[in-house]
Amino acid sequence: MNKRFFICCLFFTVLFSMCRVDSFAQARIGASNQNYISVATSKDQTFSNAYQVQLDVLGILRNYPNWSLGMILLQPITNSEGKTFPFNKLKLKLSAVNGTTFQQIGSGTTPIPLSTPGTQSLLINSSKYALSTEWYEFYKSIVFTVDLVLEGGTYMDALKSWQAYSLNIAFVLLDRNGNELGRSSAVNGMQIRPDGSYQSPASYGIQVQDNARSALLELKTMNDYANGASVSYANGLSVTAATPYAIQVRMGSANFSSGKNSLPVSVANLNLIPATGGTGGSITLSETAQTILNGGAMTSSSQLYRYNVRYFTKANDARLNNAVPDSYSGLVIYEIIPQ
């Protein structure tokens, strides 16, 4: 009799324990900051292991398929001086995972931009690897290393400060229906050091394209002499600059020449028009440098600008009417002057 009573009590105790464990079963998320972010250059940079995110499953036979991992910037990125760092210059990137693989999850390691404060973005969208436990498991975890990717630029010069900017980010675990299973936030500091260098040298360039390298302005008919002749080259000139600039043009000598014959370079004119439309400029050619137009803007990196090139003569120019028919040549020199 006593033996039977003991067996029944033992069986009851085991069942009770199993039910108690399962009642606490859940999926949860934890986030922490890892490495302080110290910026001292305006170059593009990646800061490894800025955050760590851990996903846990507690309880036996738990299953969360097609889960997603989101991130939310909880507030503007400010410091105690009242300066605000632009959130759109930052991205988060999953760089390592422990407990599974990115291949199993079906997610790459592409950097994901931070969205407007309060707006969620997805680091992982509908994982192919379920958060689950077997009948013999009570606990399983996945740990992600999260890098911070910073877009460089001279904009940082105005933001340098010994006072750190606060990066307050919530990481959110979502079920397959987009319902929130849990969230955890972590605050990291980012300092744009005043002793850093944020004014990178601007890159400038000017180039006459192949189609315009040998410009040929022909006067073949009476109409060409009477009304003027012209030749045009689409996208004939390109400029690279990160600041406003002026384009100057000069001739290599005072005359076009052909053996013993010559013509003053002022018989020809030049017109430049932005390829994207807008106001251009015209000059009469001269061996003295002339500004034909101004362009460009202050940008964080060099931009490419293209111009349509047109050479032309004016109507009834007596110097051309009286010139010895021949092929005359001269050197046109283009220069870019940063402003």
Side-chain angles (χ1 to χ4, degrees):
M1 183 69 178
N2 290 337
K3 184 177 180 181
R4 291 179 180 176
F5 179 76
F6 174 75
I7 292 174
C8 289
C9 287
L10 179 62
F11 185 62
F12 178 79
T13 302
V14 172
L15 283 179
F16 179 77
S17 298
M18 289 177 67
C19 291
R20 185 166 181 233
V21 168
D22 201 40
S23 67
F24 282 92
Q26 58 182 317
R28 65 186 184 187
I29 183 172
S32 61
N33 63 320
Q34 297 294 302
N35 291 326
Y36 185 78
I37 301 159
S38 181
V39 182
T41 175
S42 59
K43 297 179 180 178
D44 292 350
Q45 297 168 79
T46 297
F47 297 92
S48 301
N49 197 22
Y51 294 94
Q52 189 176 88
V53 177
Q54 181 166 327
L55 309 182
D56 298 320
V57 183
L58 288 82
I60 62 173
L61 296 175
R62 308 307 297 174
N63 187 38
Y64 298 92
N66 305 118
W67 52 272
S68 298
L69 178 61
M71 62 175 179
I72 303 173
L73 180 63
L74 295 178
Q75 62 192 42
I77 306 169
T78 59
N79 68 4
S80 60
E81 293 182 355
K83 294 182 177 181
T84 300
F85 191 93
F87 66 86
N88 59 351
K89 300 295 184 181
L90 298 174
K91 300 177 182 178
L92 293 189
K93 174 181 179 290
L94 300 177
S95 60
V97 60
N98 185 22
T100 182
T101 66
F102 287 119
Q103 183 177 6
Q104 288 177 311
I105 291 173
S107 168
T109 56
T110 301
I112 304 300
L114 290 179
S115 296
T116 306
T119 303
Q120 181 174 272
S121 301
L122 292 180
L123 289 164
I124 295 175
N125 186 7
S126 190
S127 169
K128 296 178 181 178
Y129 180 84
L131 285 170
S132 62
T133 55
E134 301 295 339
W135 65 270
Y136 52 84
E137 293 178 307
F138 173 71
Y139 174 78
K140 184 179 286 184
S141 69
I142 300 174
V143 180
F144 293 99
T145 298
V146 185
D147 296 347
L148 179 76
V149 180
L150 170 65
E151 179 185 330
T154 55
Y155 72 91
M156 285 190 283
D157 189 60
L159 299 172
K160 58 190 178 185
S161 171
W162 290 118
Q163 306 305 312
Y165 292 86
S166 179
L167 279 168
N168 189 358
I169 298 176
F171 295 90
V172 185
L173 178 60
L174 306 165
D175 68 13
R176 59 183 167 186
N177 297 315
N179 299 314
E180 188 172 312
L181 294 170
R183 71 164 58 192
S184 180
S185 61
V187 181
N188 210 334
M190 181 176 67
Q191 187 179 65
I192 312 299
R193 296 177 59 89
D195 57 356
S197 175
Y198 308 106
Q199 294 290 345
S200 57
S203 175
Y204 297 93
I206 188 166
Q207 183 177 16
V208 178
Q209 300 303 310
D210 290 343
N211 64 332
R213 283 186 175 275
S214 298
L216 179 61
L217 182 57
E218 295 182 284
L219 287 83
K220 298 185 295 183
T221 68
M222 291 300 298
N223 184 65
D224 293 333
Y225 289 91
N227 299 307
S230 69
V231 60
S232 298
Y233 301 95
N235 298 315
L237 182 74
S238 64
V239 170
T240 303
T243 68
Y245 57 85
I247 297 178
Q248 291 189 349
V249 181
R250 62 185 174 88
M251 296 298 296
S253 62
N255 297 297
F256 292 111
S257 61
S258 176
K260 295 182 179 180
N261 299 316
S262 65
L263 279 171
V265 294
S266 57
V267 299
N269 304 271
L270 171 64
N271 175 230
L272 290 183
I273 300 177
T276 55
T279 303
S282 295
I283 59 169
T284 297
L285 295 180
S286 169
E287 66 177 336
T288 301
Q290 303 174 77
T291 296
I292 188 169
L293 58 78
N294 295 278
M298 188 68 69
T299 56
S300 59
S301 60
S302 296
Q303 306 295 311
L304 178 64
Y305 304 88
R306 299 184 185 276
Y307 295 90
N308 297 327
V309 178
R310 174 175 171 259
Y311 296 97
F312 64 97
T313 62
K314 294 183 178 180
N316 290 317
D317 189 329
R319 294 170 299 177
L320 293 173
N321 294 337
N322 298 325
V324 176
D326 209 336
S327 294
Y328 297 82
S329 62
L331 178 65
V332 185
I333 301 171
Y334 292 86
E335 298 174 307
I336 180 173
I337 309 297
Q339 300 294 291

